[in-house]
Structures are given as structure tokens and as C-alpha cells.
Amino acid sequence: MEQTDELVGVTEGPAVAPAGPPERRVRPRPPGAAALALAAGAAAALLAAGTRWPDQPAVQAWHTVCLAITVQALPFLLLGTALSGAINAFVPAELFTRVLPKRAALAVPVAGVAGAVLPGCECASVPVASSLIRRGVTPAAAFAFLLSAPAINPVVLTATAVAFPGNPAMAAARLLASLATAAVMGWLWLWLGKEEWLRPLLRHGHTGHRHGHSRWAEFRLGFQHDFLHAGGFLVLGAMAAATFNVAVPRTVLDAFAGTLWPAVLSLAGLAVLLAVCSEADAFVAASLTGFPLTARLAFLVVGPMVDLKLIALQAGTFGRAFAWRFSAATTVVAVVSSVLTGGVLL
């Protein structure tokens, strides 16, 4: 994506297409149908209690973990899709023009700090970031918000302070490392990001409210689309995380706990695979007493930004080309930020 000094944090509205023959309107394919089928199939597998094979201990453990991740994340996915629909239907585009700086490079850290206002997990931030992009916010700022929101909101920071009563600096370290990661990733997108990596985001062929349509109808359609679309990918990510929980023994992790970098990398990878909601991950990190504090900080910073269910949600919302590149880069930046911050504060 070519960047210039004239890049702005938001655009005034959809670009005007050049004159030419009228373009045939194509009925959008309902992405929610595939996600709904995936969710239904997963639910059938989870609830198949009438056969003998679910009675096996490993299968029961997989069932419990998968269902727990899904149920834990579902309220926040509902929150995020409701906010996404409300932004699309009720919030005027001019609001973003007033709030965000005109220059995209400045809009990135402002959007990162704004993530503190959304008291939810990563499942909520993905549909909200998508809605922000549809309303004209530059993707770099929306992605900074996506990364920071589940990591720096008051609920998460309070939970972190409660989980580490003997290490009050842990909450501050999490705040600073998460903000730094979000800002760096936003700036990296400005520098290296390409529009073709993103799936077309204009839902129903428009951005925001359409004249002649009820705003509540727009809200309902937007909420239904985003929830059905993201819900299937949430279940897919939960299934992958549950498989790891059941298949990998704890002794494998303990082998890496002795030295700093192996400990940091192992807990960063564990955060990706476990897919623990950001409101609960601090208590998981506090229980990993065999690991140094910096490694546990990496677990807390990487987890809300890169985990299996979040990668699945990003792939379903923005496209696979974006999700794999963005997730890999975010993991590297988050690990480096955690080590630097932990080295100073912890």
C-alpha cells in the first residue's frame, strides 16, 4: 500500500467511482451460511452424548475445553458484533473525522489508546475493527485498536493486578508492552501493508446507513451478518485450542522453563494455542510459577493479540492472506516488546 504524507486517519466517505458503464449489482454471497454450517457441525460433535466414543476421558476433556472456550468468548463476541452493527447503523462518519488525527501515523497510537474503552476480549475487537474500516478509518488505526482493546481495558488490567498481588508492576508492564505492540503493528501496516491482502469489507455494497432504510433494520442486518460470520470461526478456533490442550502434556512445557528465551518462546506459543480469553489469562499466567515473570508477561501480551480463535476470526473477517501475515508479525513484535518491557520493569 503506497503511503504519503497526505495519508489521513479517516476518509470523508466512499471514493467516487470514475465515469463509465453502469456496474451490475452483484448479490453478495452470504458468508454467514458457511459459518453457520460449521458451527452446527461443531455443535453436533460437542453434544453427541448418545454414542460410546464421547465417554472416553480424552474426548470428554476435549469436549469440556472446547465448550468452555466457546462459552467464555461468546458474550464478548455478542458485544463486539452489537457494537459493530451500532457503529455501522447509527454513528455518523464525521465522528471519526473529529476524533482521530488527520495524519495516519498519529491516528495509530490514538486508536491504540482508545482500545481501553472496550471492556471485552479479542472476539469483540475483530468485528468492531472491521466496522471502523468500513466507516472510513484507515486500516492501520483500526488494527492498532484491534490489538490493544483486549489487552489494556480496565477489566483486564484489574484482573492482572489481582492475579499478581506480589508483583504490582505486572499490570503496568502488560499495559506498556501491549500499547507498544499495537502502535508498532499499526505503523508497520502503514509502511508495508497492501490493500490486496484485505478481503473487500463493504457489507451489502455500502458503508453506513442507507437513506430510505430503517437504522434499526441496518443494525439488525449488520449484527446478524457479523455474528453468523464470526461465530463459526470462533468454534473452529476453539476446537483447535481444545485439541492442543488434550494432546500436549504439561511436561513438554516444563522442559523449557529453565532459561529466559526458551521460556518466553514456549509461553508465547502456549498463549497462541490455548486461546484463553483475556479476562482470564492472567490467572493462567500466575499459575505458571516455574516460569520467569518476563515469560509470563509474554504470555499475557501475545495471547490477546494472537491465538487460534483470533486467527480464525481474522481470516473469516479480513481474509487468510491478511491473517497469517499479520498474526506472524504481531507475535514477533509482541515477544520483543515483552522482553524489553519485562527487562526494565520486572
Side-chain angles (χ1 to χ4, degrees), residues 149-172:
I152 69 168
N153 68 73
V155 176
V156 169
L157 294 179
T158 300
T160 304
V162 171
F164 290 89
N167 301 101
M170 182 62 84

Side-chain angles (χ1 to χ4, degrees), residues 111-300:
V113 173
V117 304
L118 179 63
C121 73
E122 55 270 26
C123 303
S125 64
V126 172
V128 174
S130 173
S131 183
L132 290 175
I133 294 174
R134 289 195 300 268
R135 299 313 308 272
V137 175
T138 182
F143 296 150
F145 174 87
L146 181 154
L147 295 176
S148 67
I152 69 168
N153 68 73
V155 176
V156 169
L157 294 179
T158 300
T160 304
V162 171
F164 290 89
N167 301 101
M170 182 62 84
R174 182 176 195 176
L175 170 65
L176 294 177
S178 299
L179 276 177
T181 301
V184 169
M185 285 304 302
W187 289 325
L188 280 178
W189 179 264
L190 286 177
W191 179 30
L192 300 174
K194 297 180 181 179
E195 288 183 355
E196 55 262 32
W197 293 345
L198 292 175
R199 173 178 297 168
L201 294 172
L202 294 182
R203 184 180 57 217
H204 310 310
H206 75 287
T207 301
H209 175 64
R210 290 181 295 182
H211 294 292
H213 291 74
S214 164
R215 291 185 181 272
W216 284 107
E218 290 292 320
F219 171 77
R220 180 181 58 81
L221 289 174
F223 173 81
Q224 174 182 307
H225 174 279
D226 284 346
F227 182 75
L228 291 178
H229 189 68
F233 290 98
L234 168 63
V235 173
L236 180 63
M239 292 169 67
T243 301
F244 173 84
N245 273 271
V246 172
V248 179
R250 174 64 182 271
T251 54
V252 174
L253 291 175
D254 292 340
F256 296 95
T259 54
L260 179 61
W261 275 106
V264 167
L265 295 177
S266 62
L267 285 196
L270 182 66
V272 174
L273 296 170
L274 286 185
V276 182
C277 193
S278 59
E279 275 74 17
D281 62 358
F283 300 96
V284 176
S287 70
L288 301 171
T289 54
F291 289 84
L293 285 174
T294 298
R296 287 186 272 175
L297 175 63
F299 179 89
L300 296 177

Side-chain angles (χ1 to χ4, degrees), residues 48-56 59-60:
T51 59
R52 291 184 178 180
W53 64 265
D55 294 333
Q56 299 297 323
V59 177
Q60 289 182 341

